[in-house]
Amino acid sequence: AVTVTSLTIVEPQQLSLFGQWVVLILIQIGGLGFVTFAVVSAITLGHRMSLRQQTLALEAFNQTSTARLRSTAVSVLRITVVIEVAAMLLLFLWWWGSGRMPAAQALYNAVFHAITAFNNAGYSLFEGSLQAFVSDTATIGILSIVVILGGLGFPVVVDVIRKRRWSGLQPYVRLMIISGLTLHIAAFLAFWLLEAHNPRTLGALAWADQARAAWMQSVSMRTAGFSTFDMSAIDDSTALLAAVLMFIGGGSMSTAGGIKLGTFVVIMAAVFAFVTQRREVVLMHRTLAPEMVQKSLAVVVVTVLTAVFALLLLTVLEDVAFISLLLEVMAALSTAGLSQALTHQLSTASQCVLLVLMFMGRVGPLTLVYSLATRNRARTRIRYPEMEFQVG
């Protein structure tokens, strides 16, 4: 729960009311991040932050000045409260007003799902997650929007609120919005196309229900963890696409996991620059610093190596289809939590591997960036001669 990964061996609806609230609180803390709470607590209690703590907070909040740490942390909390309360009210009014649930049940379910959706946790109190809501446009619409807002990244949401005009947004913010929507739409069409003829998933639904189910699945696959059809029945091609989407994840400084969308965009821009024989990596008419490309490459390589090693362990420990183990590994490492209902069937050793992956997925990229940011920057007069090295 604290890594906002919905891989479970006990379903949330099986827990007591007290247990469900414990899970909900852990999801909220894990989604916002310990850095946010640490900064707000230090400011509130009047404690001074050490230089090391300030450096960590700057990297976590993607800021360059310690003077903006307070405003950024407070903005994160305010945005979270506003979005979650708005989603809760909309879900409550719809579920109660439409007669789907009694008032008390509708309110509790609305609170639970608003928090889990915004924090991209994917925990659901409904049997089969959201499979019963594929005909409910309002529920699918509200939850998908909340998941997208949680996965965009707080810097993007803050800039949109402050500028309110497309031309006034920072190039990074515009790029994240464009690339995020492009990825969602492409995934939506791909899911629909690949599963439309599968009678065990979308094939048995009317075309409108297929569209809603495919849209919600394309959104939640980027680390939200909700499901609108049986993931254990999907084709291998769909499973591979799901693994790729989980690997990419959401935006930087968001409640989502993965290598982050920004990292993926930078790597693609670097590849394009090399193929077109361009010396600089350019995005939105801005040149990216070489250190940014190196950080992105380091995040991708470390994540891939971690996933490959964990997958190797699981293939040794389990006699399960490879594609199912791949989904399990990516679901844990990207904190997506969307697998083929395999977690509770795995051995204790394999579950321990997944536990490690979930923690690494939540704090790994941040730890990597922090270690790179605080490396010894002392310049030396020694320069080594260049060497010829064959690659590609």
Side-chain angles (χ1 to χ4, degrees):
V2 80
T3 62
V4 293
T5 312
S6 54
L7 290 180
T8 61
I9 55 177
V10 178
E11 295 299 326
Q13 58 266 28
Q14 296 176 297
L15 299 174
S16 64
L17 183 62
F18 173 77
Q20 291 175 359
W21 275 103
V22 171
V23 167
L24 204 59
I25 292 172
L26 291 177
I27 289 172
Q28 188 69 84
I29 294 174
L32 290 182
F34 288 106
V35 176
T36 304
F37 285 98
V39 171
V40 173
S41 300
I43 293 171
T44 304
L45 299 175
H47 293 167
R48 283 182 169 272
M49 298 176 63
S50 66
L51 291 177
R52 186 179 181 86
Q53 292 170 340
Q54 290 180 21
T55 303
L56 173 61
L58 287 174
E59 292 294 338
F61 288 144
N62 196 27
Q63 297 292 332
T64 57
S65 172
T66 55
R68 298 190 61 182
L69 283 180
R70 176 192 174 96
S71 61
T72 302
V74 172
S75 296
V76 167
L77 292 180
R78 286 177 176 173
I79 290 171
T80 300
V81 171
V82 169
I83 294 177
E84 289 181 352
V85 169
M88 177 197 69
L89 290 175
L90 290 174
L91 289 173
F92 165 69
L93 292 174
W94 172 249
W95 287 341
W96 178 44
S98 62
R100 183 180 284 270
M101 306 173 195
Q105 184 183 3
L107 178 61
Y108 180 66
N109 284 329
V111 172
F112 192 94
H113 288 83
I115 293 177
T116 57
F118 181 73
N119 289 283
N120 278 217
Y123 284 86
S124 177
L125 296 178
F126 304 119
E127 193 72 32
S129 191
L130 301 181
Q131 294 181 31
F133 292 90
V134 291
S135 299
D136 192 338
T137 303
T139 299
I140 295 298
I142 294 170
L143 289 177
S144 63
I145 291 174
V146 175
V147 169
I148 291 174
L149 290 176
L152 267 179
F154 290 105
V156 175
V157 179
V158 169
D159 199 54
V160 170
I161 293 175
R162 289 176 177 173
K163 305 297 178 55
R164 299 183 182 180
R165 293 180 59 185
W166 180 258
S167 59
L169 298 178
Q170 299 177 23
Y172 166 78
V173 174
R174 282 182 284 168
L175 186 60
M176 286 300 97
I177 294 175
I178 293 174
S179 57
L181 288 177
T182 301
L183 197 58
H184 282 312
I185 294 173
F188 160 65
L189 295 176
F191 273 126
W192 198 353
L193 178 64
L194 292 173
E195 292 296 321
H197 302 292
N198 187 344
R200 296 181 298 169
T201 55
L202 298 183
L205 303 175
W207 72 269
D209 293 344
Q210 289 183 0
R212 280 185 286 265
W215 170 253
M216 189 67 212
Q217 204 63 47
S218 68
V219 171
S220 63
M221 194 61 72
R222 297 265 311 284
T223 78
F226 292 114
S227 61
T228 49
F229 49 78
D230 186 5
M231 288 296 296
S232 62
I234 61 177
D235 294 333
D236 288 350
S237 54
T238 308
L240 180 59
L241 175 61
V244 172
L245 291 174
M246 288 190 287
F247 177 77
I248 296 174
S252 298
M253 197 186 159
S254 70
T255 60
I259 63 171
K260 306 300 185 185
L261 181 58
T263 304
F264 176 74
V265 170
V266 170
I267 292 297
M268 290 296 100
V271 172
F272 180 78
F274 177 80
V275 171
T276 56
Q277 299 183 5
R278 193 166 188 166
R279 299 184 65 88
E280 299 87 10
V281 179
V282 178
L283 283 174
M284 301 290 286
H285 303 292
R286 301 290 192 278
T287 301
L288 300 181
E291 290 81 3
M292 187 178 300
V293 179
Q294 291 173 354
K295 285 183 181 180
S296 300
L297 180 62
V299 170
V300 171
V301 171
V302 169
T303 305
V304 169
L305 291 178
T306 302
V308 170
F309 180 70
L311 186 56
L312 176 62
L313 288 179
L314 261 62
T315 54
V316 172
L317 295 170
E318 305 293 336
D319 185 17
V320 180
F322 179 82
I323 193 67
S324 297
L325 293 178
L326 174 62
L327 274 182
E328 201 76 16
V329 167
M330 294 311 304
L333 189 57
S334 66
T335 71
L338 197 57
S339 69
Q340 296 183 325
L342 185 64
T343 311
H344 67 282
Q345 302 176 16
L346 299 177
S347 64
T348 302
S350 296
Q351 291 174 353
C352 288
V353 173
L354 295 180
L355 287 174
V356 174
L357 289 178
M358 286 188 279
F359 276 102
M360 290 185 65
R362 192 58 188 149
V363 304
L366 174 61
T367 304
L368 174 63
V369 170
Y370 177 60
S371 63
L372 292 174
T374 57
R375 68 189 187 279
N376 185 9
R377 294 179 180 272
R379 296 186 178 275
T380 176
R381 295 178 181 272
I382 299 175
R383 292 291 183 271
Y384 297 99
E386 294 183 2
M387 66 178 282
E388 293 292 334
F389 198 91
Q390 299 297 323
V391 296

